[in-house]
Amino acid sequence: MAEPTLKYEIAAELRQLFSGRINVADGILPPLVFVVVNAFLGLAPAAVFGLAVAVAIVVWRLLRGRALRFAVAGLGGTIFAVLFALRADS
């Protein structure tokens, strides 16, 4: 009997995750900017651009009174990518 409940919970989470393109973009865009800029301009500019985009999205969502879940996830992902790349020195 627990199986249908689990399926319902998973479906509800997926609906919430993909409830809008903006939500997904807020989480994906900053790390994507970091990777693309790193490929073309190097690590230091990539760190600056990636973190700037992430912070701008968080501020924009704060000013508009929107949920921060995906924006903070994007910021966290970008910080992780920057720290990992700096640690690996590439």
Side-chain angles (χ1 to χ4, degrees), residues 7-77:
K7 288 180 182 178
Y8 175 76
E9 288 178 18
I10 291 171
E13 284 291 323
L14 289 173
R15 271 194 302 276
Q16 184 179 5
L17 175 64
F18 295 107
S19 63
R21 291 181 188 165
I22 291 294
N23 289 340
V24 175
D26 287 354
I28 294 174
L29 188 60
L32 183 63
V33 167
F34 171 76
V35 169
V36 170
V37 173
N38 187 32
F40 291 102
L41 300 176
L43 184 56
V48 172
F49 279 99
L51 291 172
V53 168
V55 169
I57 290 173
V58 169
V59 169
W60 177 73
R61 289 186 71 86
L62 275 172
L63 292 174
R64 297 184 63 88
R66 298 207 171 164
L68 295 176
R69 175 190 236 174
F70 299 102
V72 170
L75 178 61

